[in-house]
Amino acid sequence: MKMKSITCSNWLKLSVFMTLLLATSAGNFYQDAVTTFGDQRVKIAEGGRLLSLSLDKSSGSGFQSKNEYLFGRFDMQLKLVPGNSAGTVTTFYLSSVGQGHDEIDFEFLGNASGQPYTLHTNVYSQGKGDKEQQFKLWFDPTTFFHTYTMVWNSQRIIFLVDNIPIRVYNNHEAIGVPFPKNQPMRVYCSFWNADDWATQGGQVKTDWANAPFTVYYRNFNVKGDVCVPGSPCGSGSKSTDSLNTQEWETQGLDGKGRNRIRWVQQKHMIYNYCADRKRYPQGLPVECKRPRF
């Protein structure tokens, strides 16, 4: 079936709708987050609705959620550094702790002026990652806030941008592929310098004449199961889904979602580990032979 073209105005309307939707149920950074590094480079404003992270030559900055979660839907709106952001990395991800940790990543790799950001996604389970997919966004992520979402349940992980699915990572434990489903995770966000690898493989370095750099986060929203201290996570969890719909527990892609993800991956994906035969000369990972969506 041939997809209809999606105009810029339609994308903008959808972005505005998602902004309004999240604004009605967003969390409060004063209540929900703690600084992990960077001290005064982490600033909260607008009564707890907005948080900024800054990066200078001395240090970056970051924060994490106070709560741990075992499954849920995690939304965050970001506005990235305009102009020359080469060498910088902005993150929004879930992670457990320890050597065999689980992790679900959004990483935004900066670039030189006039060139688009690279959106890097990855999934770790039991300390093993190497499940990368990368995209060039179809909009400028520096002029307006856009919504980035991770849906995590026991069957799959869905990455969305402005509620448009860009990636699905399915549970393939049945064929021996580990999947993150037993370790509770916190939300982490950070902003730091990685000019040894982040931009064009480290060929373009950070221009510190433009520092300090600042990124903005707002409308942090979680619908999921909070792990209660002192109780086994899962049996002793409480839901943050005020409507108790818990759609995220079984969320997948319908026909419309599959059409949208095909469009994104055909037009905007720039790297897929499942297509990198030079990296895997002995054969692609076993999960790459299964249906993607």
Side-chain angles (χ1 to χ4, degrees):
M1 183 177 69
K2 185 176 181 180
M3 285 188 60
K4 295 180 180 179
S5 61
I6 303 174
T7 66
C8 291
S9 61
N10 286 339
W11 287 117
L12 183 57
K13 289 176 183 177
L14 180 61
S15 300
V16 171
F17 170 76
M18 287 303 298
T19 299
L20 293 174
L21 179 63
L22 282 177
T24 64
S25 57
N28 185 299
F29 285 114
Y30 283 123
Q31 299 171 0
D32 301 332
V34 292
T35 298
T36 52
F37 70 103
D39 299 323
Q40 299 304 313
R41 296 173 182 83
V42 182
K43 299 183 185 301
I44 299 176
E46 297 183 3
R49 294 185 299 274
L50 179 73
L51 186 149
S52 64
L53 296 179
S54 293
L55 166 67
D56 56 42
K57 203 167 186 178
S58 298
S59 178
S61 50
F63 67 94
Q64 69 179 43
S65 64
K66 291 182 179 179
N67 290 327
E68 286 184 306
Y69 305 90
L70 188 63
F71 306 132
R73 178 185 173 112
F74 305 84
D75 297 291
M76 186 80 76
Q77 292 188 323
L78 283 80
K79 185 165 72 169
L80 303 179
V81 175
N84 189 350
S85 58
T88 69
V89 176
T90 305
T91 71
F92 166 43
Y93 64 102
L94 301 172
S95 183
S96 61
V97 295
Q99 190 171 15
H101 79 292
D102 294 340
E103 188 172 323
I104 304 169
D105 289 343
F106 271 124
E107 294 184 339
F108 303 85
L109 312 183
N111 221 323
S113 298
Q115 297 178 333
Y117 272 78
T118 296
L119 174 55
H120 177 96
T121 66
N122 203 352
V123 176
Y124 288 76
S125 184
Q126 301 174 24
K128 298 179 181 179
D130 299 329
K131 311 294 186 185
E132 306 94 337
Q133 288 186 0
Q134 295 183 340
F135 306 83
K136 293 294 186 183
L137 294 171
W138 52 91
F139 53 83
D140 183 350
T142 72
T143 55
F144 299 101
F145 282 92
H146 291 269
T147 305
Y148 304 90
T149 302
M150 293 170 281
V151 174
W152 170 38
N153 59 44
S154 61
Q155 295 87 44
R156 64 190 61 85
I157 297 162
I158 307 174
F159 297 81
L160 303 101
V161 176
D162 288 336
N163 213 35
I164 306 301
I166 66 168
R167 177 181 186 179
V168 175
Y169 183 82
N170 289 307
N171 183 337
H172 290 301
E173 289 179 301
I175 56 173
V177 181
F179 185 84
K181 71 173 190 179
N182 297 317
Q183 300 187 65
M185 296 198 268
R186 296 185 192 273
V187 177
Y188 292 86
C189 297
S190 60
F191 184 37
W192 47 290
N193 178 52
D195 65 3
D196 56 330
W197 64 269
T199 305
Q200 298 179 31
Q203 297 182 52
V204 182
K205 302 299 183 181
T206 304
D207 184 356
W208 293 110
N210 294 323
F213 305 97
T214 303
V215 297
Y216 297 92
Y217 296 79
R218 76 177 185 189
N219 291 342
F220 172 39
N221 186 50
V222 178
K223 293 181 179 180
D225 288 335
V226 179
C227 297
V228 178
S231 300
C233 201
S235 63
S237 63
K238 61 180 182 180
S239 177
T240 61
D241 191 342
S242 59
L243 298 178
N244 203 33
T245 57
Q246 298 183 315
E247 294 177 356
W248 47 268
E249 288 190 326
T250 57
Q251 185 171 341
L253 296 184
D254 58 13
K256 186 176 181 180
R258 288 191 292 272
N259 284 338
R260 285 179 167 177
I261 198 171
R262 288 189 187 98
W263 180 84
V264 171
Q265 295 195 352
Q266 289 171 4
K267 299 292 185 180
H268 299 283
M269 179 185 285
I270 60 171
Y271 179 79
N272 180 5
Y273 80 102
C274 276
D276 193 344
R277 296 188 179 276
K278 290 184 179 179
R279 181 178 178 181
Y280 301 105
Q282 304 303 317
L284 297 172
V286 62
E287 70 270 17
C288 297
K289 302 171 185 178
R290 294 298 180 100
R292 291 179 295 168
F293 312 136

